[in-house]
Amino acid sequence: MNRTYRGLSTLSTHGLAASRTSAYTAIVFLTSSVFGFGAARLRARDTLVLSKVTMADIAALTALIEPESIALGMRLVRVGFFGGKSDPTLQVMAERPDTRQLTLDDCAVLSRRLSEVLDALDGTPNDPIDEAYRLEVSSPGIDRPLTRLSDYTDWAGHEARIKLVEPIEGRKMFDADLTGVEGEDVLVVAKHGAMQIPFAAIATAKLILTDKLIKATKPLDAHGADKIIEEEVN
């Protein structure tokens, strides 16, 4: 099997690192946003499912993927499956606890690790996905998704776009300043006033890109992003 890891030298474009087997193609995908690499919930509703892959399959995949990411010193952010029949893609988002992001090398390492695990299950009864697909490993961006209750404490003082499962006070989506958490509730201040929202009532949320957020985000080293490394895997 040939693996090619490819990155682009500019932080304003996408970097790709690909690995192909007979069963699927693994893609390491880094979206950059000024000073960091970007775009990206371990709760069921936070996964992306736009294929015949079921929520049970996603749960099984998460159970496989999370221990591998932890073993590499990374923390899983989201597992999703999307693309439909034309381009089925298993998307894995992860981060380093200290930087809250991944470098290109981190993505390549995690992709190799997951490829080995998924290869071992291919064609067996324990394989959660019985169709050809791509594996995409990515890092959260500056305007990252908020997937854990602790994220609302970590990013207090910044703005977020919040979408609720059901409307509260007639509003289902709005922008608000994050002020922290209280128990299992998220505390925010929106244009219409302060709100205390049960974490379970939030469908999705992500940070809004602002100058303040950019300044607060640790830059990542893009060293090696302009190199192409090929290795032969027996």
Side-chain angles (χ1 to χ4, degrees), residues 1 3 19 21 24 68 109-122 135 231 233:
M1 174 175 63
R3 290 184 178 177
S19 163
T21 73
Y24 59 84
E68 303 302 327
V109 168
L110 181 56
S111 180
R112 289 191 189 101
R113 182 72 164 257
L114 297 182
S115 294
E116 292 171 358
V117 172
L118 294 168
D119 275 342
L121 293 176
D122 183 34
L135 169 64
E231 63 180 43
V233 181

Side-chain angles (χ1 to χ4, degrees), residues 8 30 32 51 59 76 85 105 108 124 126 128 134 145 148 166 175 182 184 205-206 234:
L8 300 183
L30 291 178
S32 56
S51 181
L76 194 59
K85 294 181 179 179
D105 286 343
T124 72
N126 294 324
R134 294 187 301 160
R148 312 175 189 88
E166 298 292 340
D175 297 347
E182 184 175 305
E184 291 294 314
K206 64 176 295 185
N234 296 323

Side-chain angles (χ1 to χ4, degrees), residues 14-198:
H14 299 284
L16 293 177
S19 163
R20 180 177 295 277
T21 73
S22 58
Y24 59 84
T25 302
I27 300 288
V28 174
F29 183 59
L30 291 178
T31 307
S32 56
S33 181
V34 190
F35 290 112
F37 295 107
R41 288 159 240 202
L42 304 183
R43 298 172 300 181
R45 67 168 179 273
D46 286 321
T47 57
L48 299 174
V49 183
L50 299 175
S51 181
K52 66 179 182 180
V53 174
T54 66
M55 299 305 297
D57 295 328
I58 291 294
L61 285 164
T62 299
L64 287 171
I65 293 168
E66 189 161 27
E68 303 302 327
S69 62
I70 291 174
L72 294 173
M74 304 175 195
R75 184 165 55 185
L76 194 59
V77 174
R78 182 175 70 187
V79 175
F81 203 90
F82 64 97
K85 294 181 179 179
S86 62
D87 188 26
T89 301
L90 172 61
Q91 184 189 71
V92 177
M93 289 187 175
E95 64 184 4
R96 289 279 183 189
D98 54 342
T99 64
R100 308 299 297 267
Q101 302 176 64
L102 294 183
T103 64
L104 180 63
D105 286 343
D106 288 333
C107 284
V109 168
L110 181 56
S111 180
R112 289 191 189 101
R113 182 72 164 257
L114 297 182
S115 294
E116 292 171 358
V117 172
L118 294 168
D119 275 342
L121 293 176
D122 183 34
T124 72
N126 294 324
D127 189 354
I129 305 176
D130 61 359
E131 61 181 303
Y133 62 94
R134 294 187 301 160
L135 169 64
E136 177 184 293
V137 177
S138 66
S139 169
I142 296 179
D143 51 343
R144 58 177 296 127
L146 304 173
T147 64
R148 312 175 189 88
L149 184 61
S150 60
D151 289 341
Y152 293 88
T153 298
D154 294 344
W155 299 102
H158 295 283
E159 298 177 51
R161 179 155 297 151
I162 298 172
K163 182 178 180 180
L164 303 175
V165 176
E166 298 292 340
I168 295 179
E169 299 177 5
R171 296 175 174 86
K172 191 171 184 179
M173 182 183 293
F174 52 87
D175 297 347
D177 294 323
L178 305 178
T179 58
V181 301
E182 184 175 305
E184 291 294 314
D185 294 343
V186 174
L187 306 178
V188 303
V189 177
K191 289 183 178 180
H192 54 277
M195 298 180 69
Q196 185 166 337
I197 308 168

